[in-house]
Amino acid sequence: MLISLMDSIIKNNPNDYEYAFVWLTPGNGELEEQSYRSALNKSSLVKPQMLQDALTNGFDNNSVTFINWEQVTKKGNIATRDGEVANVFERISEAHYNNIHFVVIVDEEHRNRNANTQTFIDSFSADKIIRTSATPQSKGEAYELVQVDDEDVIRQGMITRSVILNIGANEGDNVSNPVSYFLDLADEKTS
């Protein structure tokens, strides 16, 4: 849904701004890589890149840069320290100089809400900040809660109605060694 939103912002850009999207994800589980691959497959206008690409090439118009919080909040991380390669703050400044407008997406925002992460978000001076969470936590802040119909989420392929396991297994099969039986079924699927 967020990929479609980014494509829609690019397509229906009323101000003719040059937009760069930044998608911030929590650590553990490589969520930024999963979201990157999803954007590669599903986006029609937005151009996905990882943080290393942004450090090398900058934040380009119509790009979305996927960043894991741990890449920018851990002390001494290469993305934020000064050195031979431009750091993320230098790349943000370059983008602003080139009149790039930022839209920041904070995925699972409830998991990394603290002063350090807010300072990083603020560094983008974003036109819009989109905070997403399946489990929002209100701390007296004003925000608009948007509920999404299950059917829309299923249609987008984010969740499924059912999962079919063990295709090829037949009810009533006499199985003396279940591990071997299911491994053989898995081998058949991959060959």
Side-chain angles (χ1 to χ4, degrees):
M1 295 177 93
L2 290 170
I3 294 165
S4 294
L5 175 64
M6 290 184 291
D7 280 345
S8 178
I9 290 170
I10 293 168
K11 183 178 179 181
N12 304 305
N13 185 347
N15 301 313
D16 289 327
Y17 286 155
E18 292 190 354
Y19 280 113
F21 300 88
V22 176
W23 189 313
L24 302 168
T25 68
N28 301 337
E30 291 89 25
L31 185 57
E32 78 281 5
E33 292 174 14
Q34 177 186 344
S35 299
Y36 168 80
R37 285 190 301 276
S38 184
L40 276 176
N41 294 328
K42 296 179 181 178
S43 65
S44 60
L45 298 174
V46 72
K47 299 173 283 194
Q49 66 178 7
M50 298 296 285
L51 175 60
Q52 190 57 48
D53 301 318
L55 293 175
T56 303
N57 304 313
F59 294 96
D60 293 327
N61 184 37
N62 298 340
S63 67
V64 56
T65 305
F66 294 91
I67 302 174
N68 182 310
W69 277 120
E70 292 181 15
Q71 295 173 310
V72 293
T73 57
K74 282 194 174 180
K75 197 171 193 161
N77 193 301
I78 193 168
T80 56
R81 72 176 180 225
D82 291 329
E84 293 178 20
V85 177
N87 69 35
V88 69
F89 300 109
E90 292 166 330
R91 291 300 188 186
I92 293 167
S93 292
E94 286 174 8
H96 284 294
Y97 178 79
N98 292 322
N99 207 28
I100 297 286
H101 293 253
F102 284 100
V103 174
V104 174
I105 298 168
V106 185
D107 198 356
E108 294 299 330
E109 69 93 23
H110 67 282
R111 291 183 54 189
N112 288 294
R113 186 176 270 216
N114 60 51
N116 287 342
T117 57
Q118 190 58 50
T119 299
F120 185 70
I121 291 168
D122 292 345
S123 71
F124 290 97
S125 298
D127 287 14
K128 295 287 180 192
I129 299 172
I130 301 167
R131 298 177 184 272
T132 67
S133 176
T135 53
Q137 298 173 348
S138 173
K139 294 186 179 173
E141 296 179 33
Y143 63 87
E144 182 179 347
L145 180 63
V146 177
Q147 284 200 270
V148 179
D149 183 56
D150 292 350
E151 295 301 317
D152 291 338
V153 177
I154 291 168
R155 206 173 11 268
Q156 289 289 325
M158 295 173 67
I159 61 172
T160 184
R161 285 187 190 278
S162 63
V163 176
I164 300 172
L165 299 175
N166 305 321
I167 296 173
N170 297 311
E171 192 172 330
D173 280 353
N174 187 8
V175 179
S176 60
N177 183 342
V179 172
S180 178
Y181 177 79
F182 289 113
L183 285 175
D184 289 343
L185 284 175
D187 286 341
E188 288 176 24
K189 284 187 214 178
T190 59
S191 57

